[in-house]
Amino acid sequence: MQLKRPESVLVVIRDEHNQVLIMQREDDANFWQSVTGTIEEGEIPLNAAYRELAEETGIALPKSTHPIVDCRLVSQYEIRPAWLYRYPKGSQFNNEYVFSVKVPIGLPIVLTEHTDFEWTSKQEAMQKVWSRSNRDAIALFVPD
């Protein structure tokens, strides 16, 4: 298994009515989240955001009409103890670059790493997502 870099992206997805897409992780039924993923070696965070969005949801919209917005926020969080084996020895914290994107209503979602998804209100999404950094990103970057 290739170890993950302790740098990742978080992409908050909302539709034209500010409904937020959240997904249920395959490995933890209580863990709901936005799109997340490790930044690969030599990859810039924005490119990782586009790649992860397409990989996890099947959403691959033209950048010219539906740009992913760099929220200019980097959250740091402690890596869950159960996941430390995925990272280089001595890793304790992950730096997460936050992005957001507005997509058309009714896009088909193709899950590859999750078991379920929901379009919810901002408040419902904030209550359901597992991580504080995900909750904070939704609070800051999804309009009321």
Side-chain angles (χ1 to χ4, degrees):
M1 177 183 83
Q2 185 174 5
L3 296 176
K4 294 179 174 241
R5 296 175 59 212
E7 287 188 296
S8 63
V9 295
L10 171 74
V11 184
V12 175
I13 305 162
R14 65 183 172 92
D15 69 16
E16 295 159 335
H17 293 301
N18 294 325
Q19 294 291 294
V20 180
L21 178 68
I22 57 172
M23 300 171 296
Q24 184 181 40
R25 287 183 62 97
E26 282 183 341
D27 59 358
D28 185 340
N30 295 317
F31 197 120
W32 288 78
Q33 65 185 139
S34 296
V35 165
T36 64
T38 300
I39 300 170
E40 295 176 355
E41 193 65 42
E43 188 176 43
I44 63 170
L46 181 59
N47 290 346
Y50 278 104
R51 178 181 51 76
E52 289 291 343
L53 178 66
E55 286 177 3
E56 293 187 12
T57 68
I59 296 173
L61 298 170
K63 295 177 183 179
S64 60
T65 58
H66 296 86
I68 291 179
V69 176
D70 184 344
C71 297
R72 307 247 181 249
L73 174 68
V74 180
S75 300
Q76 186 177 73
Y77 63 86
E78 191 165 4
I79 299 167
R80 290 174 91 181
W83 293 347
L84 284 172
Y85 74 93
R86 299 175 181 176
Y87 296 87
K89 186 175 180 152
S91 297
Q92 184 178 359
F93 295 96
N94 186 77
N95 290 324
E96 182 177 69
Y97 296 79
V98 179
F99 296 88
S100 68
V101 63
K102 184 168 122 177
V103 301
I105 293 171
L107 276 181
I109 303 298
V110 179
L111 298 177
T112 59
E113 300 176 18
H114 299 84
T115 57
D116 199 6
F117 71 92
E118 293 179 7
W119 288 98
T120 68
S121 70
K122 176 180 178 175
Q123 292 305 318
E124 289 171 307
M126 289 172 55
Q127 290 172 1
K128 200 160 188 175
V129 294
W130 185 86
S131 75
R132 176 197 49 80
S133 63
N134 200 163
R135 200 168 19 261
D136 291 349
I138 293 167
L140 288 170
F141 303 112
V142 175
D144 288 321

